Structure formats: structure tokens, C-alpha cells
Amino acid sequence: MKKWYCMILAVVFALVLLAPAAQAEVDFSGEQINWIIPFRVGGGSDVWSRLYAPFFQKYLPGNPIVAVKNMPGGGSITGGNHFEQRVRGDDGLTVFGSSGSTSFPYLLGNSKVRYDFAKYHIVFASPTGGVAYINPELGVKSAADLKGFTKEMNYASQGATSLDIVPLLGFDLLGLNVKAVFGYKGRGAGRVAFEQGEVSIDYQTTTAYIKNVRPLVEQGLAVPLMTWGVLDDDGNIVRDPIEPDLPCFPEVYEMVHGKKPSGQAWNAWKAFMIAGFGVQKAMWLPEQTKPEVVEAYRAAAKKVIADPEFQVVVEKSLGGYQQMAGENARKAFDQVLSVPKEDKAWVVKWIKDEYDIEVK
Amino acid sequence: MEAFFQALTVLLTPSHLVYLVGGVTLGLCVGILPGLGGIVGMTILLPVIYGMDIHNAFALLIGMVAVIPTSDTFPSVMMGIPGSSASQATIMDGYPLAKKGEAARALGAAFTASLIGGLFGAFVLSLIIPIARPLVLAFGSPELFMLAVLGMSMVGVLSGNQPIKGIIGAGIGLMLGAMGDAPAIAEYRYTFGFDYLMDGISLVIVGLGLFAFPEIIDLLIKGRPIAEKAELGRGWFDGLKDTLRHKWIVLRCATIGVIIGFIPGLGGSVVDWIAYGHIIQTSKDRERFGKGDIRGVIAPESANNAKEGGGLIPTFLFGIPGSGSMAVFLGGLLILGIQPGPSMLTENVDLIYTAIWSLALANIFGAGLALMLAKPITKLTIVPFRYLAPFMILIITFAAYQASYSWGDLIALLLVGILGWLMKQFGWPRPAALIGFVLAGNLEQYLFISVQRYGFDWLTRPGVIIMTVIIAASLGASIVYQNKLKAAGRTAAKK
Amino acid sequence: MKQWMSIRNLFSLFLLAWFAYGVYEARGYGFLAKIFPMYVSLVLLVLVIVYIAIEIVQGIRKTGGGKGAATGSDLSVDWDMPLEEVYVAFMLNLGILIGVYIAIYLIGYPLAMTLFIFLFYRFMAGASWVASVVAGAAGLGFMAVASHVLGMDWPEGLIALPWPLG
């Protein structure tokens, strides 16, 4: 009898000792991880995920296959809603990749959106930057000349509820007279329209800017104005390290208005700028995911980002921006999640007043 | 120039050739399966190319995309089902030829035309690369709108002796194309509350629904083989001779293909129709078009291979893809760490030459392989259709499901299919509907941009005026054609 | 013949309803989204009304109605059987397809398609048992290869089955 008692005690004791260890041991050996990308194959977010996928395969415990699953539709709302409504399980076998186009309808309170970033666990986030430039024929030599500049300009836009909120609201904040021409398909089309003279002010992501607009600047066909800036560790918007000679948006605001930016319009711009650029793309785990799985993912993301081989990829294909893993990403994205209701409502009203477009 | 031939010697090394042939083989397979085209092929290859040598990856990707318009002719000719969106117009005369038992001849002509068109496309590409940027920049939104109108004007020749049916047919396409998100604003039209319709119906489903579904059903009802005569008639060698005899048609249509290919925004899906319409408009004897005129096969086939060369230009030099498969190819470039842009001409000129040579070699391999396969595959047209039908249904549902991986794809296929069958029975021209569908987005988008930006001043731009003249000439030509037909009908009636 | 004619007219009426709905629905859209579908469907509505008028006039003038397909407009259809039979055969084939869809919904795409090919060969095409099994297996083989190469998912059925059936 005593023997039994001892054995049970020993087993219980062993279990108590082992339990946390067993729990902490996340192993994906032989598993396939599906990474839902709510955009079509070959698009920006798809390329981003495919650049990351092999490195996650390398650093996640057990080296699972990381497969990108494209689920395009509704400007990424379809994929986001699928993630919210259909993905269950706490084992981290399905992850989601969001982009600015996923965050914007979420911020604007689009009624079709079912997903809620506040519930999910962020793994890492990738920032990007934007550079605005202008047609030299308008006589603007640099951002300083924008003070009191009132000539009408055209901007090639994809739509007033798209990522273009950032440039359009930005131009408005600077008091520029910019007319949005809607209907262009993507930034590439906007750049071509700029070269054709169809529009006179434009912006490109930094990567596209370097390859496609710098040659124009050298030929005197474009004048760079400013970058949107990047987030520093304290959540401030500072100069873009990729184009350090250009002022960032808050600096230009100061040049034009003579005071530091503040107020509701500025807060709204900043929130959308962070969602659209500062933490443009992010990987998410579902709500129910076990904490140790989240930890395993975040640890893997840190290792991926530290990998010198991946640093080359960042330089070549991701614009050279510092990628954010784990806590850093969470802190940065919290700025998107904590946007006050009034600021969001202000933007919705601004879109309505300015472009007569309802956000439904 | 030296770099140009150096690129060839690099490409002719065994390892590159292996990738090129691999790409060609995949391209032929994807092309031959109805509904699967360049986008699916690119999607298969994208995960493979990560970390691959850039030149090898180019050989693989371009080899694949170059030959899809070659092999997609098989189902178009043999079953009246478009193999991919590039060969829709080939059906018009290729399929009647197959019904007459001349499938081998049609295929021979088509592959030869594809080969010459493809080589010519690569050649033109190498010539216009230096002046390509200003050329592309000459097409602003107003010009692109006029190009879309030019495409729509092809409906004129495709609506035969009942113009009102042609226009309404095109309108059916426009209405199908208007479904889903509006181009300028995130508003969803005619969705009936279904999330599936938020992005509209995909071209693959409309193509399969309008053409494949009705053909499969009708063949099942008739219960006969496709070829109405048992013997297979003249062989592919006659087709080859046909193409060589019409060499000017080939070169003309190949030029059209390159031009439409390099203009970003119009997309490659109407190239074949424009070439087909062009050949009807410029032929004196038109009575046999639509009943098995070999020229109706040669024209679209020489244009659709040539367009792939043209399509590389905006992708390389501007980073704006002209078609769905080029959009995926652009993603491939980014994965390989290449940022497209004007610097491609200075920093990566070797890649451009590799692309041109890959294109040329792939067309040669592709046409050769397709010709070898032609003879055995044409035997399928004398097999009773009930043995083929279940497999055809398998393939079209399979292909439709690849559009967005949802049940909506299958249901949309069935509904558009029923629409297509009814249109076919009641003589509503489906080609007109297809052209309308393809161009709906372009028409709306570029008209909006033009009006927003220029008010009505855009109408006086030189490019717009030139295009207006071309459209007027092409419409005039089809009206003359109608009158001739009516006159011919009267004389026939008198006799 | 009479019934067939009425279906032809029903199709024209369907187009009329479609375009009318197009106008009706477009009224509620925002300005940028409204213009194009609104005007396209308005023009089409007028054209369809004109067309239906032509159809009625022609219907009165001569019974039977001309061959629908115009020269050079589309592939022509010639039936060597009464059109009522064509119509019945169409409904039959459509019914089979809907049956296949229901099967896909219940048991998933691969198994449903395999069974469909097998049953079609055996009972519709009158092939031998052996040929039918071979055909079904060939279909399954194609799907397995394609899904493996393409790395894609099928419509899953209510009943989950192991690969390659599920």
C-alpha cells in the first residue's frame, strides 16, 4: 500500500515538475503552417510574405513548412473576415498577414469588417516609407516653398478610403490645393501619370522612389518634397533614414504653419500614417493561441530579423527599414489600436465633406 | 550588341536550357487545360524561384508564359473552349475547321503563326526597347480610353447582320463587368448582398461560362464526336503552308500584338479579338469567316504570342504590369530582388536580353512540341463526346475554382454558363459580350480619369483624334461589309 | 416549336428585367460609382425594348423565326432534332450538373468528381465496368497530381475524407 502511495506521489510530483516544461516545448515538426495573405499572388503583401516564409521555416521550432495561402477579395476584407470567423485552434498553425489596406477599413469602421486586431497576437511588423515629389514646372524647389503655395495640383488616387488618405489629408493639412483624380490602379499607374504630366504631385513608397523617381530627379523632371517619416522608439515621427536629406512631414508642417503639428486633424493623420506606413504589414496569431506558441513565434521572428542573410533581403526588397518583432511590434501597433473614436469619426467626416464619399 | 549575343550564349548552357524547357513544358500543360493560363502558371512557379539564379529563374518564368498562347489553341480549335483568355478569338474559325475534320490543318496553321508571331514579337521587343519609355508615356488616360473604345468597335464586325443584337450583347458584357467594386471608389455594385461578388466575376469564369459550358452541353445533347466527318482530312503540314502563304497577315497581326501588349492597362485579353476583327475588316472576301476560314485562325494566333514580348516592356521599365500574368511576374522580380524601373536598361540590361532570348527560344520549343502533339491529340475530336464530357466538366470546374477558391466560383460558372447557353441558342453574339466584359473596367476607369482631369479638353488631344479616325475607319469598314452581305443575300435570294 | 419560341422571348424579357434592375439599383450608388452602370443600363434598356418590338413584329409576320446566329457573329447552332427535345435534354444535363454540385457539397470535390466520372461512363456513356473504373481513377489521378503541384485546396465536403479524397 505504501509502495502505491509513494509511486502516485512520485508520479504527481514528476508531472508537476514536467508540466510547465512540456507546455513550454512548442514543436511544429512535420506540420504545415498556413499563412493567409488577403491579397492576390504577386502583389506587395504576397511578395513580403514569401520573402519571410522560408526564414520562419528555418527558425520556428521543428522547421514546419510555411505555406502562403492567398485569399484575395474585397480589398483584403474577405481574407480578414475569414481569419476572424473560420480560423480556430490554439496551436498557431494558421497565421494572418495584414497590410495597410486591411487596417484602414478597420480604422474607418467599415461595416463589412468582422476582424478585430485588438484581439489577436502580433508576431512582427514591417514598416515602409513614402516620398512625395512634385512637378518642377510649378516652381517649387523644396518643401520650404510650399508655404502659401496655392496653385492647383492633381494627384492620381486609388480612392479616398484607400492608403491615399495619408497623402491627401497630408496635403490638406499643409494647405495645398490638391485635386484628387480617382480611378488609378496602384502607385505605379500614378507614377506613370506623373511622368505623362497627367498629375503634378505624387508619392511613392521609398523602394519604388529610389528606382523610379530618383532618375527623374536627376534629369530635373521631379522635385522631391518630403518623406512621411518613420516611427522612433518613443512613437514620434522622425526623418526617414533611407532619405535623410528630405524633411519629414511634421517638419514640413512646422515650416508651413510655424508651429508644431497638433489638433484633431494631425492626430488623425498620424494614426493613419502609422497604420499605413509605420506598421504597414504585420503577422498575426488568432485570439485563442496558447501563450507559449505566441512566444515561440515571436522568438522565431527575432531570429529571422537578426539573420544576416535576411538582412540582405531587407536591404534589397523591403526598403531597408528596421523590422519590428514581438514587443516592439505590439507597442507600435498599439498606436493604431488606441486611436480615439473622435479622431476616427473626424476622418470619416473629412472624407465625406471633401469628396462626398460615405464610408459604409 | 555584344551583350545581346552574350546573353544567348549564357542561355544556351545546359542548366539554363533545362529551366527553359521546364518552363515551356509547364506552360504547354497550363495552356492546354481550359481556364488555366499565365496567372496560374506564374503562381505555381513563384514559390519555386526564391533564391534561384536570376537568369535561370527568367528562363523558367518567361519560358512558361511565352508558350501558353501556343498550346491554349488545342482546346480552342478542337472543342470550341478557350484554352486561356489569349485564344478566345481562335474559336471563331478554328472550331468550325475542327468540325469539318480539319483540326490538324487548323492546329498546324495556328502553331506556325504562333511561332512566327512569337519570334517577331521578340525581335520587335529588342528593337523598341531604347524608345519604349516615350512610347509608353504617349498613352495617357484619354488615349487608353480611346483604345478601349477601339476594342469595343470590334463588336461591329462580330455582330454580323443584326447590329442591335451585337450592341446589346456587348452590353450584357458591360453589365457583367460592372458588378463588384467600382474603379474609383470602394463601392460594391450589383452584389445582391453576396460577399463573393464584391470583386466582380473573374474573366476565367466568364470565358468558361460563355464558351465552354454551352459547347459541352450541346455536344452532350447531340451525342456525337466533335468532328462531323470521321476522317481527319488534311494534316498540319497544309496548315503550315497556309500560314506561310498568309505571311503578311502574320506580320501585321504580330505587330498589333506587340503594340497592344506594351500599352499598359488595356490588358492582353482583347489582343486576339482586335487581330481577328482587323483581319475581317481588311479582307475582301469575308463570307467564310466564322465558318472555318484559316485566316481567322492565323490572325489571333500570331497576335497573341507576340503580345507576351510587348507585355514585358511596361513591367520592366515602369513596374506596371499589363496583364494578370505580368502582375505575378512582377512579384517574381521583387522576390528575386530586382526593382523594375528605368535603371533596368543600364544596370540589368543583361536580364532584358536574357528575357528576349528566352522568349524567342521558348516559342521555338513550344511550337515544335505542340506540332509533335498535334497529330495524336486531334484524334480526340473523333472520340464520341460522352467519353470526354466528364473530364471536360472536371477541368472547367477545377479551373473556375482557381479564380478565388470559393464556392461562389462554381455557382457563378453555372449561372454564366446557363446565360451563355441561352445566348448561343438565341443568336446573341457571345464574343461581343466577352469583349464588353473585358473592356468594361477600362472604359469606365479611363473615361472617369479623363473627365476628372481634363474636363472635355481631352477630346482635342492629338492621340485621341488619331484614334477617333482609326475607329471611324474601322466602323465604316464593317458597315460596308454589312451592306455587301445584304446585297449578296439579295442576289442569292433572287437566284 | 411554340414553346421554344416563348422561351426565346422569355430570354429577351429576362434581359429587359436585368437592365431595368441595373438602372433601379444604380440610383442608390455614390456619384462615382453610379454614372457608368446607370447610363449603360439605360441605353441597353432602350435597345432591348426596340429589339423586343422587332421580335414581336417579326413573330407576327412569319412564324418559326429565323436562325438566331448571324453570319460571322458566333458559332452557329444547328439542331437536327425537335427543339422541345433539345430543351428537355438541356434540363437533364443541367440537372446532372446540379447533382454533381450537391455531391461536391456533401462529400468534397475529389470523391464527388471521381464518382461522377465513373457513373457517367458506366450509365450515361455505356462503357464497361473496367473502362469506367479506369476513367474514374484517371480523373482522381489528375486531381491528385494537380492539387499536389498547385498546392491548392478543393471545396471540402461536409464529410471530411483523407487525402487524396478529401
Side-chain angles (χ1 to χ4, degrees), chain A residues 229-285:
Chain A
V230 294
L231 271 182
D232 71 2
D233 289 339
D234 304 323
N236 299 312
I237 294 176
V238 297
R239 282 201 176 197
D240 191 321
I242 311 297
E243 281 287 316
D245 296 337
L246 287 177
C248 62
F249 182 80
E251 290 177 70
V252 179
Y253 185 95
E254 217 177 319
M255 285 180 208
V256 170
H257 296 289
K259 56 170 180 150
K260 290 231 176 283
S262 60
Q264 202 157 37
W266 157 255
N267 289 343
W269 185 86
K270 190 178 171 190
F272 279 88
M273 185 290 187
I274 295 170
F277 296 87
V279 281
Q280 191 189 42
K281 301 190 195 304
M283 184 201 253
W284 300 89
L285 284 160

Side-chain angles (χ1 to χ4, degrees), chain A residues 40-43 46-47 50-51 54-55 70-75 77-78 81 112 154 158-161 179-185 188-189 191-192 195-199 207-208 211-212 215-216 313 316-317 357 360, chain B residues 42-43 46-47 50 133 136-142 183-188 195 198-199 317-320 327-328 330-332 334-337 339-343 347-348 403-405 445 448-449 452-454 461:
Chain A
R40 66 173 175 77
V41 179
D46 178 64
V47 169
R50 284 174 200 273
L51 291 170
F55 289 93
N70 300 81
M71 194 176 282
I77 294 177
T78 309
N81 288 350
K112 288 206 156 63
N154 290 295
Q158 282 176 269
T161 51
K179 186 178 135 196
V181 179
F182 295 113
Y184 286 91
K185 295 251 183 294
R191 193 176 62 238
V192 172
E195 288 191 54
Q196 288 168 331
E198 212 163 277
V199 298
T207 354
K211 277 286 173 182
N212 288 289
L216 299 178
V313 173
K316 267 178 125 179
S317 308
I357 289 167
K360 283 177 206 164
Chain B
M42 283 286 175
T43 310
L46 214 50
Y50 184 86
R133 276 186 67 84
V136 170
L137 288 177
F139 288 90
S141 302
I185 170 185
E187 176 141 1
Y188 303 102
D195 279 0
M198 275 171 32
D199 282 343
L317 301 188
F318 292 93
I320 42 171
V328 186
L330 180 66
L334 297 175
I335 285 178
L336 291 167
Q339 278 287 335
S343 55
E347 289 165 26
N348 300 105
S404 61
Y405 313 126
Q445 179 195 357
F448 264 1
I449 294 177
Q452 284 181 84
R453 170 64 181 84
Y454 303 102
R461 285 163 68 107

Side-chain angles (χ1 to χ4, degrees), chain B residues 99-148:
Chain B
K99 280 188 181 164
K100 285 193 246 168
E102 293 188 27
R105 177 184 167 216
L107 288 174
F111 297 143
T112 321
S114 291
L115 172 64
I116 302 174
L119 287 178
F120 186 73
F123 174 68
V124 172
L125 179 63
S126 66
L127 287 186
I128 62 172
I129 277 280
I131 54 156
R133 276 186 67 84
L135 227 50
V136 170
L137 288 177
F139 288 90
S141 302
E143 286 79 16
L144 290 172
F145 172 72
M146 291 310 286
L147 261 178

Side-chain angles (χ1 to χ4, degrees), chain B residues 407-463:
Chain B
W407 257 100
D409 294 326
L410 297 180
I411 293 163
L413 175 72
L414 196 67
L415 294 178
V416 179
I418 295 170
L419 176 72
W421 189 80
L422 292 170
M423 286 179 75
K424 186 182 177 201
Q425 304 312 310
F426 305 139
W428 294 92
R430 292 168 295 159
L434 196 63
I435 293 175
F437 177 79
V438 171
L439 292 175
N442 287 318
L443 283 170
E444 179 176 10
Q445 179 195 357
Y446 293 125
L447 181 62
F448 264 1
I449 294 177
S450 304
V451 174
Q452 284 181 84
R453 170 64 181 84
Y454 303 102
F456 283 96
D457 291 348
W458 62 272
L459 289 165
T460 57
R461 285 163 68 107

Side-chain angles (χ1 to χ4, degrees), chain B residues 225 236 495:
Chain B
W236 63 265
K495 279 171 194 170

Side-chain angles (χ1 to χ4, degrees), chain A residues 11-249:
Chain A
V11 167
V12 169
F13 191 63
L15 278 177
V16 169
L17 267 184
L18 277 172
Q23 221 176 36
E25 203 69 44
V26 177
D27 186 17
F28 293 111
S29 304
E31 303 276 13
Q32 172 169 324
I33 286 165
N34 288 328
W35 188 354
I36 300 174
I37 297 298
F39 298 93
R40 66 173 175 77
V41 179
S45 296
D46 178 64
V47 169
W48 164 78
S49 66
R50 284 174 200 273
L51 291 170
Y52 261 102
F55 289 93
F56 266 96
Q57 198 154 325
K58 185 170 161 192
Y59 288 114
L60 277 173
N63 307 100
I65 297 166
V66 179
V68 174
K69 295 278 171 194
N70 300 81
M71 194 176 282
S76 82
I77 294 177
T78 309
N81 288 350
H82 175 91
F83 182 67
E84 164 68 29
Q85 292 167 333
R86 299 286 167 78
V87 174
R88 294 281 172 267
D90 55 5
D91 44 9
L93 290 182
T94 307
V95 291
F96 180 65
S98 74
S99 181
S101 320
T102 328
S103 312
F104 272 33
Y106 172 73
L107 280 178
L108 290 171
N110 184 313
S111 62
K112 288 206 156 63
V113 170
R114 300 275 172 275
Y115 50 86
D116 182 2
F117 291 118
K119 296 195 295 189
Y120 311 143
H121 309 276
I122 196 166
V123 178
F124 72 93
S126 302
T128 187
V131 186
Y133 54 98
I134 190 171
N135 191 324
E137 284 167 25
L138 291 165
V140 174
K141 297 272 180 295
S142 75
D145 296 342
L146 292 178
K147 186 172 177 163
F149 184 77
T150 50
K151 276 190 197 164
E152 193 191 79
M153 291 177 277
N154 290 295
Y155 171 79
S157 172
Q158 282 176 269
T161 51
S162 72
L163 230 53
D164 285 338
I165 290 176
V166 174
L168 289 174
L169 182 54
F171 297 146
D172 198 36
L173 280 175
L174 297 177
L176 299 175
N177 180 10
V178 173
K179 186 178 135 196
V181 179
F182 295 113
Y184 286 91
K185 295 251 183 294
R187 294 308 329 136
R191 193 176 62 238
V192 172
F194 178 87
E195 288 191 54
Q196 288 168 331
E198 212 163 277
V199 298
S200 42
I201 191 165
D202 188 45
Y203 96 88
Q204 294 290 318
T205 60
T206 322
T207 354
Y209 173 81
I210 289 168
K211 277 286 173 182
N212 288 289
V213 185
R214 266 192 195 158
L216 299 178
V217 172
E218 281 155 20
Q219 294 168 50
L221 297 171
V223 175
L225 290 175
M226 62 186 133
T227 62
W228 304 139
V230 294
L231 271 182
D232 71 2
D233 289 339
D234 304 323
N236 299 312
I237 294 176
V238 297
R239 282 201 176 197
D240 191 321
I242 311 297
E243 281 287 316
D245 296 337
L246 287 177
C248 62
F249 182 80

Side-chain angles (χ1 to χ4, degrees), chain C residues 15-139:
Chain C
L15 292 179
L16 182 77
W18 181 3
F19 300 146
Y21 175 78
V23 180
Y24 171 79
E25 177 80 12
R27 294 174 317 135
Y29 297 146
F31 177 74
L32 286 176
K34 175 164 69 181
I35 300 302
F36 182 78
M38 181 104 162
Y39 283 98
V40 166
S41 37
L42 259 180
V43 170
L44 288 171
L45 196 59
V46 173
L47 285 172
V48 163
I49 292 170
V50 171
Y51 175 76
I52 291 178
I54 295 174
E55 216 174 37
I56 292 170
V57 170
Q58 277 179 349
I60 295 167
R61 235 183 255 166
K62 51 173 184 193
T63 47
K67 263 265 120 32
T71 323
S73 70
D74 204 345
L75 306 169
S76 54
V77 226
D78 329 289
W79 294 109
D80 47 10
M81 55 172 102
L83 290 171
E84 289 90 338
E85 275 177 42
V86 172
Y87 183 61
V88 170
F90 173 73
M91 293 311 283
L92 178 71
N93 282 297
L94 194 63
I96 292 177
L97 270 180
I98 292 170
V100 173
Y101 273 33
I102 292 169
I104 294 173
Y105 179 74
L106 290 175
I107 54 175
Y109 188 83
L111 184 59
M113 285 316 280
T114 308
L115 277 178
F116 164 63
I117 295 172
F118 168 75
L119 293 172
F120 193 96
Y121 260 62
R122 185 68 195 91
F123 298 106
M124 298 290 292
S128 67
W129 283 105
V130 179
S132 307
V133 170
V134 169

